[in-house]
Amino acid sequence: MDRSDKPRVVLGVSGGIAAYKACELLRRLTESGHDVRVVPTGSALRFVGEPTWAALSGNPVTTGVWEDVHEVPHVRIGQEADLVVVAPATADTLARAAHGLADDLLTNTLLTARCPVVFAPAMHTEMWEHPATAENVATLRRRGAVVIEPAVGRLTGKDTGKGRLPDPGEIFEVCRRVLARGAAPGRDLAGRHVVISAGGTREPLDPVRFLGNRSSGRQGYALARTAVARGARVTLVAANTALPDPAGADVVPVGTAVQLREAVLKAAEDADAVVMAAAVADFRPAHYAQGKIKKREGQEPEPVALVRNPDVLAELSAARPRPGQVVVGFAAETDDVLANGRAKLARKGCDLLVVNEVGEDKTFGAEENEAVVLGADGSETPVPHGPKEALADTVWDAVVHLLNAG
């Protein structure tokens, strides 16, 4: 692929300690076939030097508008970009972008860009929570930019809290999804809060054993990533997954069906849409053994009595804590897939039901999926075998249609 044929990405780097992590994002972008121009601020070069950015990108690096003036870089770089991503985006950079300041090459580029723009903030918790930053973020989102929610974790020094730069691999996934949508309505979930459940619940039998299922959480995480790329504020209720947190999602870890119910209902209070992609156990042991259940020679084990778990999907569908809220369920079936799916859709009372056939070698843990999205209005949307992100986008297309119709 010639350089002229590659998607052109501008990687803006602000002056924060997390600037070194942008090297990994740059590597992922270049190795996946993107032509990347790094535009750091002057402060960023105090953390990572110009030779590093030039060597990793294969492109010249400048910070001011007075270099290579004959090429008019302060206009041309933004005009020619297919995507601009700023990682890390400090509170100062967010403020300057929101107010249209243009005192260096990065802010000039942001003003001239007519492509999608992604900001990955990184700062101390107090700075992220300050009303000024909140207003600047809201302004940028209102204009169509994707501002990823920062991660929670260790910050500079001994501080811990929200404000950590998300994992560079997950920022790359957001960028990839934004680029992949191309001419499609990019940020059609902007201003919306969506709640997604993912993974599989585990119901303890004793301190070392549990009843569980094969769900990996990959489909729920694909739903979270695509929702972030489409501009949504995302709450991801994750049950027993081993996947990295999707950039921009507020992740709430849970273990059991009861814990998942509590977390989902709480998050759903102000949600525009709830997508129940988790495999929630229908039953749990009636009794929990305080000590490990022993195997005794010559004796058969005692039968395990089960009780029903709460039906979170049906409860959500009936309650609708927010007017106009869209509720989506998932149905994992092994036979009579569509018939069982239609019956479940009617029984649960949700707006959409994603039905797929599962088994030991199907769907669970796989990178791809195949499904049919059933609507309460009688519609059927088949999604052919392919990446789980493709199914996720089909689900969000249907959700956006319902939200706009309401």
Side-chain angles (χ1 to χ4, degrees), residues 195-199 220-221 223 235-239 260 264 274-280:
V195 177
I196 303 157
S197 68
Y221 277 57
L223 283 157
T235 300
L236 177 63
V237 179
L260 182 140
V264 168
V274 182
V275 181
M276 292 291 294
V280 183

Side-chain angles (χ1 to χ4, degrees), residues 224-243:
R225 291 190 184 99
T226 52
V228 168
R230 294 170 74 149
R233 176 166 68 91
V234 178
T235 300
L236 177 63
V237 179
N240 305 298
T241 63
L243 303 170

Side-chain angles (χ1 to χ4, degrees), residues 13-14 16-25 47-48 53 88 164-165 168:
V13 184
S14 302
I17 188 63
Y20 77 94
K21 295 183 180 180
C23 295
E24 173 64 15
L25 175 59
F47 293 96
V48 180
W53 300 122
R164 182 182 177 89
L165 185 74

Side-chain angles (χ1 to χ4, degrees), residues 1 26 77 102 126 172 276 319 325 329 353 405:
M1 182 183 295
L26 173 57
I77 293 175
E126 293 84 356
F172 168 74
M276 292 291 294
Q325 185 178 81
L353 190 74

